[in-house]
C-alpha cells in the first residue's frame, strides 16, 4: 500500500512541476512580446543621405614594352634596354622609385602552326611597370614620353581618391547624413505629437569610391610631332547614408 501511495505522490509532484514550467514559459513569452511591442511603439526610424562631387587626387597607369626577336636572350635584352630608357624618362619627369613598380615580366616562344606541325618562329619578351602619382598635371607627359622612349603597351589610367582625402570626405558626409536624418526625424516627431529623447541604434552605408577610367592603345611614331595626350580626371559623386532609430515619448 505504501508503494502505491509513493507512486501517487510522485505522479502529483510531476504534474505540479509541469504546470509550473508551463506557466513560467508563458510568462516569459508574454514579457518578451510585450517588450518588443513597447520598443516598436516608442521608436521611429529614419534614413539620412549626403553626397558631393569630388576631384580624384591619385592616378595609376601601366606602361610597358613588348618586342619580338629570334632568340629569347635577344628579346629579353632588347626589351630591357627599352624599359630602362622608359624608366629614366619617367624619373626625369619627377617620379620617384616608390612611384614605379614592376607589374609583369615574361619571355615566351611564338609558334607557327602549319601543315600539322608546330615550329618556333621567335620569342616575345614583355615588361610593364605600374605608375602611381598624385601629380595629375604630368599624366599626358608620362604617356607621351614613355611612347617616345619605346613603350608600346599603355594600359588604362585609373583615378582614385587618396586614403587621407577619403577619411576627410567620409567625416564630412557622415555629419551631413546624420543632420539630414535628424531633421527629418524631428519633423516627423512633431507631426506625430511625440518628442525625440535619444538614439537607440544607427548604421552607416558608404557610397562607391570615386573612380574613372581612361583607356588608350599606343602604337605611335616616336618621330612624329603631335600635341600632348590630354588626360582629364573629371569628377565623381561620393555618397554616404545613415539609418538611425530614435527613441521617442
Amino acid at each position: 500500500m505504501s508503494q502505491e501511495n509513493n507512486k501517487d505522490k510522485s505522479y502529483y509532484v510531476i504534474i505540479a512541476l509541469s504546470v509550473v514550467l508551463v506557466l513560467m514559459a508563458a510568462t516569459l513569452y508574454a514579457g518578451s512580446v510585450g517588450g518588443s511591442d513597447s520598443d516598436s511603439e516608442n521608436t521611429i526610424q529614419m534614413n539620412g543621405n549626403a553626397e558631393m562631387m569630388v576631384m580624384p587626387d591619385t592616378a595609376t597607369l601601366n606602361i610597358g614594352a613588348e618586342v619580338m626577336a629570334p632568340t629569347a636572350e635577344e628579346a629579353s635584352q632588347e626589351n630591357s634596354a627599352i624599359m630602362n630608357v622608359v624608366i629614366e624618362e619617367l624619373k626625369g619627369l619627377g617620379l620617384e622609385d616608390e612611384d614605379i613598380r614592376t607589374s609583369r615580366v615574361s619571355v615566351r616562344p611564338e609558334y607557327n602552326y602549319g601543315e600539322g606541325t608546330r615550329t618556333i618562329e621567335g620569342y616575345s619578351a614583355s615588361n610593364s611597370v605600374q605608375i602611381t602619382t598624385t601629380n595629375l598635371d604630368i599624366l599626358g607627359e608620362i604617356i607621351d614620353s614613355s611612347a617616345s622612349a619605346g613603350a608600346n603597351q599603355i594600359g588604362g589610367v585609373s583615378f582614385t581618391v587618396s586614403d587621407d582625402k577619403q577619411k576627410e570626405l567620409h567625416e564630412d558626409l557622415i555629419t551631413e547624413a546624420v543632420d539630414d536624418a535628424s531633421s527629418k526625424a524631428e519633423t516627423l516627431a512633431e507631426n506625430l505629437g511625440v518628442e525625440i529623447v535619444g538614439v537607440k541604434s544607427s548604421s552607416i552605408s558608404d557610397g562607391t569610391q570615386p573612380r574613372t577610367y581612361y583607356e588608350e592603345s599606343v602604337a605611335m611614331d616616336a618621330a612624329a610631332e603631335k600635341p600632348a595626350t590630354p588626360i582629364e580626371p573629371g569628377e565623381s559623386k561620393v555618397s554616404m547614408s545613415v539609418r538611425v532609430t530614435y527613441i521617442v515619448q
Side-chain angles (χ1 to χ4, degrees):
M1 179 71 69
S2 61
Q3 291 182 349
E4 291 182 357
N5 289 335
N6 289 336
K7 289 181 180 180
D8 291 341
K9 290 179 179 180
S10 298
Y11 175 75
Y12 289 121
V13 168
I14 291 172
I15 291 178
L17 288 173
S18 300
V19 171
V20 170
L21 290 174
V22 170
L23 291 174
M24 289 177 63
T27 301
L28 290 173
Y29 175 76
S32 65
V33 172
S36 175
D37 289 343
S38 177
D39 289 343
S40 64
E41 290 175 355
N42 295 321
T43 63
I44 57 175
Q45 191 175 80
M46 188 62 63
N47 291 330
N49 302 287
E51 63 182 38
M52 66 175 64
M53 301 301 294
V54 298
M55 181 76 72
D57 62 353
T58 305
T60 302
L61 66 156
N62 290 304
I63 294 175
E66 183 173 9
V67 299
M68 283 278 297
T71 67
E73 183 179 4
E74 290 177 295
S76 180
Q77 290 178 349
E78 184 179 344
N79 182 272
S80 296
I82 292 173
M83 288 305 297
N84 284 334
V85 175
V86 170
I87 290 174
E88 287 301 317
E89 288 287 332
L90 294 174
K91 290 183 177 179
L93 294 174
L95 296 177
E96 303 292 339
D97 288 337
E98 58 267 25
D99 301 327
I100 306 170
R101 180 177 64 86
T102 299
S103 58
R104 182 172 64 89
V105 177
S106 70
V107 179
R108 66 180 187 275
E110 296 292 337
Y111 294 101
N112 181 30
Y113 297 89
E115 298 180 358
T117 61
R118 185 181 72 169
T119 58
I120 296 177
E121 62 177 12
Y123 290 83
S124 172
S126 62
N127 186 347
S128 63
V129 293
Q130 184 180 76
I131 310 299
T132 302
T133 180
T134 56
N135 189 355
L136 305 188
D137 293 335
I138 65 171
L139 288 180
E141 294 180 68
I142 289 175
I143 291 176
D144 295 337
S145 296
S146 299
S148 297
N152 56 13
Q153 292 184 329
I154 297 180
V157 179
S158 64
F159 296 100
T160 59
V161 175
S162 62
D163 292 341
D164 289 342
K165 189 170 183 178
Q166 284 189 55
K167 182 179 179 180
E168 179 184 340
L169 291 174
H170 284 179
E171 290 175 353
D172 292 341
L173 287 170
I174 289 174
T175 299
E176 291 185 24
V178 169
D179 288 344
D180 181 50
S182 177
S183 175
K184 290 188 289 190
E186 289 286 356
T187 300
L188 178 61
E190 182 179 351
N191 281 275
L192 293 175
V194 296
E195 180 184 2
I196 295 176
V197 295
V199 173
K200 180 179 180 182
S201 64
S202 62
S203 62
I204 299 173
S205 177
D206 290 346
T208 304
Q209 176 180 324
R211 183 181 291 262
T212 57
Y213 294 93
Y214 170 85
E215 299 289 344
E216 177 168 310
S217 177
V218 175
M220 52 179 44
D221 182 0
E225 294 185 2
K226 73 178 194 66
T229 301
I231 304 293
E232 296 294 337
E235 288 186 328
S236 295
K237 182 170 69 175
V238 191
S239 62
M240 180 80 68
S241 63
V242 298
R243 175 171 292 183
V244 185
T245 301
Y246 297 92
I247 302 172
V248 298
Q249 65 179 17

